[in-house]
Amino acid sequence: MPSLRAALSDLATRELDLLVIGGGITGAGILRDAAMRGLSVGLVEQGDFAAGTSSRSSRLIHGGLRYLEHYQWRLVFEALRERAVLLRIAPHLVRPITFVVPAYRGDRIPRWKLAAGLGLYGLLAIGGNVARPRMFGKAGLLILEPGLRVRGLRGGGLYHDAQCDDARLVIATLRSGLTHGGRAANYARVTGLVSEGGKVVGVEAHDLLTGDRATIRARAVINATGPWVDTLRRMEDPGVPALLRLSSGAHVVVPRDRLGHTNAITFTSSVDGRVMFILPWGSLSYIGTTETDFTRSPEQVTASQEEVRYLLRSANALFPQAHLGEEDVLATWAGVRPLLAGHPNVPAGAVSREHRIVRGSQGMITVAGGKLTTYRRMAAETVAMALSGLPPDAAAQYREAPPTDWEPLPGGESAVFDPFIQTGLDLGLPPATVERLVHRYGTETAAVYNLIREDRRLLQPIHPDHLAIGAEVVQVTRRELAVRVEDVLDRRIHLGTETGDGGRAAAPAVAALMGRELGWDADRIAREAAPPPPGTATAEPPDRVSFPGLSLGSDPEGTGVL
Ligand code: FAD
């Protein structure tokens, strides 16, 4: 696989079949689909891969029980089918999870309606059900979740869905596309479109790491920039009306033992009746999400104090013994949903999660809306539209749909992890570390073990409050397209949202290991190793890419990396 910078100069040397703008899950899915068809395809991303909405989701691969309330049967049906596909092709990253849904007297969704909804959810998953949903009385539900508020409890339900590591799913999807011949570069921002004869034939890209500028030409340009799609569309046609209605959503991370739950919980907030989740994540839990119309630029999204308080109040009302306070919050994250603009009077929570694919006045294809869960279908439809614009003989060559639903993503070649667990224990790793590795790297855990065999020092944890070890840093730098310390901390290893300091204590170790892999000089290592403390505002040079929505994540300003 060529280096990312080499990939960018390679993209600029020839005309591609397709160029994808945006390295979130949508763009990654398109790259993979197109590359598997044999098309020459490139992708440019202005930040790190997955640094936009695709690393800020609720991390659910789900049909979306709550969308049944809005009669979105088709969306739920399709998403449940995709859930089955993703459980198959990425069993290490996408894993079944059990949800408990308590029903309380006076809830907006009464018990009978919950029972009907769960039954329908089970039916819509035909063939791909993890297990059938069930209803329980009050006593039964309290056996499942003893910490739930007893007052007013009428029983509830249990169902299954899937949880995934969103950022790692993006990276794995991209890597699969690269092994099929696709090319991708991160920190490469599209600053303008190239038009000839009234048709978009390429883009101007600014390499934010080197300062270089390049023109990349392609027979079809695809705008997969999530919440930024309208900004890109206005480069093509300044007067075009918005396709999207943006809505922000925040999560808070707390130690799981503060809530004491075993399962994931779906509940209606006693504050305002909205459907919310409490989700287990190792020894942590995250609570989310909010849904607020958002009119600023997507990179400005953060979890506000008001949102944090609302999420904690909602969780405290459900788990009255928890008494969660702001001091319990380890981290927060917030993202911007790229929702299709519908009727302005519809609340953001009721706006459809469907997607739309449109061709602009100069031929650029935009894919808007959708969900993490349905990315594979969105990608297939987008590539099909791009093919319809190619000359018939060229399009015919690539029309056959590739097996994106069967070919495993990297690390997903087997769902049987026992041999990897045993090898890890034999190497002297603690059981919790082994479990962590297997659920992140799947079959590629073998490569992590090889690194440890070569250098036993890589067994060491890189942060005092986290299980991540040095070998992971080497692994993600070599194989997972990380080029900066924050790429590793925030999106490959998730220290940014799993430690109270945003992973900063690990930065020196991560910088040293990355420096060794990437040939950084001492100055660069020192700058990467010292991100400013969380919340420090620094002046931004015009082109610096920052994603403060990951509010405790590192801020690379001053690192001189670009
Ligand atoms: P993004 O991930 O935002 O990717 C677009 C990329 O384009 C960005 O990385 C950006 O940097 C890049 N870009 C922008 N402009 C340029 C430019 N000029 N040049 C180059 N690159 C550019 N879905 C689910 O299925 N399950 C869930 O549990 C779930 N929970 C969610 C919770 C929240 C709070 C939110 C906000 C969303 C959630 N979603 C969920 C929805 C899902 O996360 C999104 O639909 C999906 O991640 C969007 O992916 P994307 O690739 O379209 O956009």
Side-chain angles (χ1 to χ4, degrees):
M1 195 186 299
S3 81
L4 296 169
R5 281 14 264 166
L8 188 59
S9 31
D10 182 39
L11 291 179
T13 57
R14 58 201 166 110
E15 188 191 42
L16 300 163
D17 291 322
L18 304 188
L19 177 73
V20 185
I21 314 170
I25 193 65
T26 309
I30 295 168
L31 182 91
R32 177 173 188 249
D33 186 290
M36 284 176 76
R37 288 177 201 248
L39 287 154
S40 68
V41 52
L43 179 148
V44 281
E45 160 57 49
Q46 67 176 354
D48 181 24
F49 302 118
T53 303
S54 298
S55 57
R56 296 132 186 279
S57 76
S58 300
R59 304 175 178 168
L60 293 176
I61 296 298
H62 62 159
L65 185 60
R66 76 187 186 86
Y67 305 137
L68 292 179
E69 262 199 277
H70 306 297
Y71 310 106
Q72 296 176 10
W73 323 123
R74 196 172 67 105
L75 173 72
V76 174
F77 176 72
E78 283 177 359
L80 287 170
R81 273 197 52 207
E82 286 306 302
R83 183 185 73 182
V85 168
L86 291 170
L87 283 164
R88 181 167 66 230
I89 66 172
H92 56 316
L93 298 176
V94 180
R95 290 182 299 130
I97 183 170
T98 307
F99 279 83
V100 162
V101 203
Y104 285 93
R105 195 180 321 116
D107 264 358
R108 190 174 57 75
I109 303 168
R111 194 173 182 277
W112 68 265
K113 206 169 171 185
L114 172 65
L118 288 182
L120 182 57
Y121 202 61
L123 277 179
L124 288 170
I126 32 160
N129 241 334
V130 177
R132 280 182 48 188
R134 289 176 60 189
M135 288 300 289
F136 288 84
K138 177 175 172 176
L141 207 76
L142 286 171
I143 291 173
L144 293 171
E145 287 298 344
L148 286 173
R149 189 180 82 231
V150 178
R151 191 171 36 87
L153 185 64
R154 306 275 317 277
L158 179 141
Y159 71 101
H160 298 82
D161 245 319
Q163 189 180 32
C164 90
D165 185 323
D166 51 8
R168 294 189 62 76
L169 184 68
V170 175
I171 311 286
T173 304
L174 262 172
R175 290 178 59 211
S176 170
L178 299 188
T179 58
H180 285 280
R183 293 280 181 272
N186 54 6
Y187 297 103
R189 174 183 286 165
V190 168
T191 52
L193 303 177
V194 180
S195 294
E196 282 172 10
K199 186 176 181 321
V200 173
V201 293
V203 303
E204 299 293 352
H206 184 188
D207 184 337
L208 301 180
L209 295 184
T210 63
D212 292 346
R213 292 182 187 270
T215 300
I216 306 171
R217 300 179 69 88
R219 299 212 268 183
V221 173
I222 296 175
N223 171 13
T225 54
W228 288 264
V229 292
D230 285 324
T231 309
L232 272 288
R233 288 172 72 236
R234 284 172 186 147
M235 289 183 188
E236 181 187 34
D237 179 354
V240 75
L243 262 181
L244 292 185
R245 168 177 177 181
L246 302 182
S247 107
S248 66
H251 294 85
V252 297
V253 182
V254 297
R256 184 161 162 190
D257 57 10
R258 294 285 290 104
L259 284 159
H261 64 116
T262 307
N263 303 282
I265 316 281
T266 302
F267 67 108
T268 46
S269 166
S270 61
V271 178
D272 59 1
R274 287 186 56 255
V275 176
M276 291 178 51
F277 301 115
I278 296 177
L279 293 150
W281 190 259
S283 62
L284 305 173
S285 300
Y286 56 98
I287 308 164
T289 174
T290 54
E291 185 116 30
T292 318
D293 277 313
F294 190 79
T295 48
R296 284 173 289 140
S297 177
E299 50 277 19
Q300 291 172 359
V301 65
T302 50
S304 69
Q305 195 172 36
E306 195 187 327
E307 286 176 307
V308 170
R309 287 186 182 146
Y310 161 76
L311 293 169
L312 294 178
R313 258 183 80 198
S314 301
N316 279 333
L318 192 68
F319 286 93
Q321 302 307 318
H323 302 295
L324 289 172
E326 286 172 52
E327 65 287 357
D328 293 305
V329 174
L330 271 185
T332 64
W333 75 80
V336 179
R337 296 178 187 86
L339 304 180
L340 291 178
H343 195 282
N345 292 340
V346 174
V351 174
S352 166
R353 267 56 176 170
E354 305 271 359
H355 62 272
R356 262 184 81 189
I357 305 167
V358 296
R359 199 184 280 280
S361 57
Q362 297 192 55
M364 181 169 73
I365 294 169
T366 292
V367 46
K371 298 175 20 144
L372 191 73
T373 307
T374 49
Y375 83 90
R376 209 187 52 84
R377 286 180 67 93
M378 290 162 66
E381 290 171 25
T382 309
V383 175
M385 180 181 286
L387 286 177
S388 71
L390 297 185
D393 53 328
Q397 244 190 88
Y398 303 118
R399 190 149 288 144
E400 197 178 325
T404 54
D405 54 344
W406 280 101
E407 185 171 306
L409 295 183
E413 289 79 2
S414 169
V416 181
F417 298 125
D418 294 354
F420 298 98
I421 292 172
Q422 193 50 52
T423 310
L425 297 175
D426 293 347
L427 274 170
L429 287 161
T433 306
V434 172
E435 193 189 326
R436 188 194 128 72
L437 292 176
V438 165
H439 288 146
R440 270 154 193 77
Y441 305 98
T443 56
E444 292 190 327
T445 307
V448 179
Y449 292 159
N450 284 340
L451 295 171
I452 296 169
R453 286 191 192 97
E454 283 163 21
D455 182 352
R456 297 283 299 176
R457 287 172 304 177
L458 295 176
L459 269 174
Q460 294 305 316
I462 53 173
H463 190 285
D465 304 330
H466 200 273
L467 294 171
I469 57 172
E472 292 181 65
V473 179
V474 178
Q475 171 78 0
V476 301
T477 308
R478 283 190 192 170
R479 294 199 184 200
E480 296 189 3
L481 320 168
V483 293
R484 306 174 66 162
V485 164
E486 68 157 284
D487 302 346
V488 172
L489 295 181
D490 292 342
R491 286 163 294 276
R492 308 304 186 283
I493 301 190
H494 295 303
L495 283 163
T497 51
E498 295 178 9
T499 58
D501 68 347
R504 274 167 183 72
V510 173
L513 288 166
M514 289 185 80
R516 206 170 69 187
E517 291 299 313
L518 299 174
W520 291 348
D521 60 21
D523 190 37
R524 168 82 183 268
I525 291 175
R527 279 181 279 127
E528 284 273 348
T536 309
T538 45
E540 293 195 20
D543 266 324
R544 199 184 67 95
V545 183
S546 92
F547 292 94
L550 198 67
S551 63
L552 296 185
S554 63
D555 178 347
E557 172 50 22
T559 60
V561 179
L562 297 183

